Amino acid sequence: MSTHTTTGAVSVPAEPYEFTFDPARVALLCIDFQRDFMEKGGFGESLGNDVSTLRGSIEPTKAVLEMFRAHDWMVIHTREGHREDLSDLFPAKRDRGNPTLRIGDDGPMGRLLTRGSAGHEIIPELAPIEGEVVLDKPGKGAFYGTDLETILRARGITSLILTGVTTEVCVQSTAREANDRGFECLILSDCTGSYFPEFYESALNMFKAQGGIVGWVGTSTDLLAAVD
Ligand code: TIU
């Protein structure tokens, strides 16, 4: 990996065509790499999902995260979860699916999807470091109910590189919110994962269809090579 600071635009092979960004105006979004989704005993498993399906996204994302850190480019981590008193949890979200365990209930990693619990933390492999933004959000999209847009505009960010879980839920919601706000979005296919292979494929396909109607899809290896 290059250790020099990149100047000038970077062009990454992607679909439906090259994704070009200015390193001074790019941010990496690491969406909801939380123990609650990635590990046994969390919210994801409580919904009946096999959480092992997401683990393949960890190593590629780690490589991209390290590249961003080496260049001192902006990194933002998001976490889905609720206040300890659950005052920001809509009944519609709490009761959806009539689960046996609800958000805020005690699970093996503490209270499900609740700030301050072990399950709410980002997995150790991708844990934030000093200087990186950690954004708590009550919804699936990272813009809803947060100051993410203000943070991005304050830094002059125009391009987003998205990683995270799950592809068709929080990653897709965030990408659509970002696209409507005028940000150019590249999702790294190997840095995202879903509990449902067919939803992973469909989400990425619909994202890049129609000339990139929502944005671009690429890979971590092509991004790393392009930056190098
Ligand atoms: N259930 C599921 O696939 N995802 C979520 O509930 N949240 C996120 O995607 N982060």
Side-chain angles (χ1 to χ4, degrees):
M1 189 177 65
S2 160
T3 51
H4 67 272
T5 302
T6 307
T7 51
V10 176
S11 285
V12 187
E15 294 179 284
Y17 57 93
E18 273 197 342
F19 178 80
T20 300
F21 67 89
D22 172 353
R25 294 181 175 275
V26 72
L28 176 68
L29 286 188
C30 299
I31 298 173
D32 300 3
F33 279 112
Q34 292 162 266
R35 299 183 67 196
D36 254 327
F37 297 109
M38 309 286 295
E39 296 183 8
K40 285 184 172 294
F43 177 69
E45 193 179 63
S46 81
L47 298 175
N49 298 305
D50 171 8
V51 295
S52 70
T53 51
L54 306 185
R55 307 232 20 122
S57 60
I58 298 173
E59 281 309 310
T61 302
K62 198 168 174 204
V64 173
L65 188 54
E66 281 168 3
M67 182 272 284
F68 266 71
R69 286 171 177 166
H71 290 88
D72 206 19
W73 296 348
M74 190 177 205
V75 175
I76 298 177
H77 305 260
T78 72
R79 302 187 296 198
E80 180 183 353
H82 295 275
R83 292 170 179 261
E84 286 182 46
D85 64 4
L86 305 182
S87 55
D88 60 351
L89 176 60
F90 295 130
K93 183 174 179 183
R94 185 191 61 221
D95 298 335
R96 186 71 48 80
N98 197 24
T100 44
L101 273 183
R102 286 178 163 73
I103 294 168
D105 287 350
D106 264 321
M109 289 195 286
R111 297 177 66 200
L112 292 179
L113 231 54
T114 306
R115 296 176 195 163
S117 74
H120 183 258
E121 292 302 320
I122 293 168
I123 55 170
E125 297 92 326
L126 300 173
I129 61 170
E130 185 75 28
E132 294 174 350
V133 174
V134 179
L135 186 97
D136 285 322
K137 62 188 182 68
K140 303 304 182 192
F143 288 84
Y144 172 72
T146 75
D147 54 4
L148 177 58
E149 184 169 1
T150 307
I151 291 169
L152 296 172
R153 303 263 186 238
R155 278 276 292 255
I157 300 296
T158 56
S159 303
L160 299 175
I161 296 181
L162 287 88
T163 65
V165 297
T166 60
T167 313
E168 79 282 10
V169 183
C170 292
V171 175
Q172 173 162 236
S173 287
T174 300
R176 288 174 182 277
E177 288 180 325
N179 182 56
D180 281 345
R181 286 166 173 78
F183 296 97
E184 297 203 301
C185 297
L186 171 69
I187 297 181
L188 299 177
S189 59
D190 51 338
C191 299
T192 180
S194 169
Y195 303 122
F196 304 89
E198 66 274 33
F199 294 167
Y200 168 88
E201 287 295 332
S202 299
L204 295 179
N205 284 338
M206 67 177 79
F207 185 77
K208 69 187 180 195
Q210 305 182 69
I213 193 80
V214 189
W216 288 258
V217 177
T219 65
S220 67
T221 43
D222 281 342
L223 171 64
L224 295 175
V227 171
D228 209 25

